[in-house]
Amino acid sequence: MSAFNDLMMGFAAALTFKHLAMCFLGVLMGQMVGVLPGIGPAAAIALLLPLTFGTDPTSAIILFAGIYYGSQYGGTLTSVLVSVPGESSTVMTSIDGYQMALQGRAGPALGIAAIGSFIAGTLGTLGLMLLAPALANAALAFGPPEYFALVVLGLIALAAVGSSLLKGLVAGVAGLLLGTIGIDPQNGIARFDFGQTWLLDGVEFIVLTVALFGVGEVVASCALGAARPVADVKHVLPTREDWRACRMPILRGTGIGFLIGVLPATGATIASFLAYIVEKKLARDPSRFGRGAIEGVAAPESANNAAAAGAMVPMLSLGVPGSGTTAIILGALIMFGIRPGPELFAKNAELVWAVIASMYIGNVILLVLNLPLAGLFARLLRIPYRWLYPPILALVDGADGAGPGARPALRDGDAPIVHHLARQPGDLRDAADLSSFTRPRPRCGRRTHAPSQETAPGMKDRIGVDINQKLALEPAGEWACQHKVPYIDLCLDQTPELLQGDSPRAGTARKKLESAGIKLGLHTLSAVNIAETSPFVASAADAYLEAYIDAAKRLGAGWIVVHGGYHFGSDKRARMDAAVARIARAAKTAERKKVRLLLENLNPEPAQAEVHYLANDLEECKYYFDRLDSPALGWSFTVNHAHIKPNKIDAFIAGLDMRRCGEVRLADCRGTHEEHLRPGEGTIDFPAMFAAIEASGYRGHYMQAFGSLDDMLEGRETLAALAKKAARK
Amino acid sequence: MRAAKGEVVLALFFVAIGGLWVARAVRMPKWEGFAPDSGFLPLIYGVLLTVLATAALIQCALAQPSAESRDVRKPLLVLAALTAAVAALPLAGFAICVFLLLLFLYGFVERLPWLNATVVSAATTGALYLVFRTWLGVPLPALLP
């Protein structure tokens, strides 16, 4: 019943105009790439990846899934009409399909293929709907060993997708090797950059995908000759005898196809081979096969479509690709900041169910396209390839320039399922887990990878200084470098030049900070009321946040600390909603610009105060974070605010998702009111605090915010010693 | 089994890359306390790639040479044109680069009549720009330099 309700929710999303249009476009393009030689679904999706920047992820995945299963329909046309399989999964179709075409029965061959594909696609989607959530549920119990096994399975599955296991392994290891290019996210050491600064961020996933799948396929096919003669398509509806002969092969093909599709590294091609062989074995007269037996078309066509749905099961539930194309779709999910794997059904239910619902709709569209319009698509086969490949390459040229710098890079752990490993407590990846959202990597001073207790002495290198407005940008950088402070926060309000456009100061300062390995964060003013609802002032708050996001992009700042606003008592709910809406808008912009926002928990004011900061207690923080799930939004945990009564530090650590935490802000306090004291001057038990935070799996940086710069320099020593004390306990 | 010359070249390339990774990774720190350090995984990957690519190379050497001979001039010409267009993109902008790429491919590589090639190239460039830039709002490089 739950699956049915979820599916209805999916239909509600998939039936919106935008998603319907994407579904139609996807299956139409899939049908075309299936028909056209020299470009397959993997290449088509790879080429479209850069063009989907800024679009809604649900729309993009509906489009890609449509291309995937649509291509299975399209590949049939070339197999039947010219005996050249458009896809490897339609090789078996060409054997009997082409013979039928030679006998003047191309129409019924295409008709039964379309009907079989529709039935198999629909039943396969039903299987996906029932099996994938159950599998994902079971996988939620996975711990690190199971995830590691899953990673290994995924990598081997990818290696086994091709025709040679050895070559597949070589390609797979070469991919892992490429993932090590750039700054090591664990400790900030630059690896394999060969002195090129553009390699410090690693190799961009899209560049690699477009080059390997898009350009590779087109260049390999550009020597293809002219179009072949194409058989005429008439009377596509099968006769009663045809239908009677094909009923069982379609059902058997569906079952075989779905089961084979679910197994990683098998896919539609093997499914179609197996379905064909089974039908031949079961046939009363096997000699008919190869001479135009309609069952020889129905069974493999049903199998390859059911396998396409089946391959989505491990992809959506485990993050394991069932084929090369699903591997690229997984890459697309990551590009959109969505974690493929068991949590997908829980955290992105709307997306998953919208895609599943769109597959039902897409199959209906494909049936319509393939019965009455089969003859029209057959005409595409008459276009010589020499007319087709230049525009495809032009698209590659454009894709190369689309949104430069906005693309996630391929890094250690960017194999989709490796992300799950990275998600385990104890790993350092932050909530977004895209390389552009990864937490800062200090490069000056001692190295900082310091999982918890054992390496607590390295804690000093994880502690930064909130310079705020004490120094301007350039002197702040020099000061940090001189004192080997790896993390600094700055407020730019006193240097509006840096907030107002492309100041040359930004570029110069950025280069200096990067070369020194200093990670910069920006800190907006807490006095700017993000919860503002008044006209003019409200839009000014939006503009303020946007200016900071743009400045962060120019300065290469890794994060921006933002706030939840304040209220006057009676208008609390309205202002919280205004703040949530404003932060959601800002987060969307931040997502697009690959900047990370960190929402800070502020201090409670005395009960009798007229103004109260948002969000200052656990309940208010949850209100914000429950409604803001953007991967670009994390949490800046200010410990001394969480210590003011009635709040408790432990309650925050237990109550909020520490994986979303991007900065822990430190100052001491006596727990009665807002104050930023040096460690030891208040009542915070820092060793206990460090132990609790590190035990939660947090491996990010700490930021001091108290006293003078000298106080905070001394604070680094003091706090590191306190952390060491916690480690000894 | 038959092996093409290209496969041998590719296997040699991977052996070289694996060796390069090993050579660089041995100079990096490999272990820190209880956890792997920066050089650990690159070293493992480098060794694995070298071993696997060597195995692939041996497999190619043991196989009969492929009798199939393909003219690679055209694919190489296409690849060179694409590389030049991508390199020129930041300097010349989307419209000029794409138009010239299409004109070269249709007119020079495919030997289509120059008038047809010019018209089709211009129409395709315009259509790509309109669809992706205007309709879909994709941030393509500037129309003109």
Side-chain angles (χ1 to χ4, degrees), chain A residues 561-583:
Chain A
V561 178
V562 297
H563 307 98
Y566 49 79
H567 67 89
F568 296 87
S570 60
D571 59 353
K572 179 178 175 182
R573 181 61 185 268
R575 288 199 178 247
M576 283 173 92
D577 288 339
V580 166
R582 177 156 298 116
I583 295 169

Side-chain angles (χ1 to χ4, degrees), chain A residues 117-137:
Chain A
S117 297
F118 170 72
I119 294 171
T122 307
L123 291 178
T125 308
L126 189 69
L128 163 69
M129 188 184 107
L130 298 174
L131 190 60
L135 195 58
N137 266 341

Side-chain angles (χ1 to χ4, degrees), chain A residues 51 166-167 170 173 177 180 184 187 191-192 220 222 386-387 389-391 393 395 397 400 402-403 447 449, chain B residues 7 14 17 21 24 32 34 37-38 42 45 49 56 70 74 78 85-86 89 94 102 106 110 112 132 138-139:
Chain A
L51 304 176
L166 181 61
K167 287 178 195 166
V170 170
V173 175
L177 207 106
T180 62
D184 178 358
N187 56 21
R191 299 183 299 191
F192 308 103
C222 69
R386 62 183 181 177
W387 283 105
Y389 79 83
L393 290 179
L395 200 60
D397 199 11
D400 175 73
R447 286 178 298 113
H449 72 97
Chain B
E7 291 185 31
F14 279 130
I17 290 286
W21 246 248
R24 289 199 162 227
E32 167 71 29
F34 73 101
D37 213 322
S38 290
Y45 296 155
L49 186 64
R70 289 179 67 177
K74 188 173 171 185
V78 171
V86 169
L89 203 62
F94 176 80
L102 289 169
Y106 282 133
E110 297 298 340
L112 294 172
F132 291 108
V138 172

Side-chain angles (χ1 to χ4, degrees), chain A residues 17 55 63-64 84 131 212 272 321 366 368 407 415 440 507 574:
Chain A
F17 175 76
T55 58
L63 176 82
F64 297 153
V84 174
L131 190 60
L212 290 177
S272 64
L366 281 163
V368 175
R407 301 177 286 227

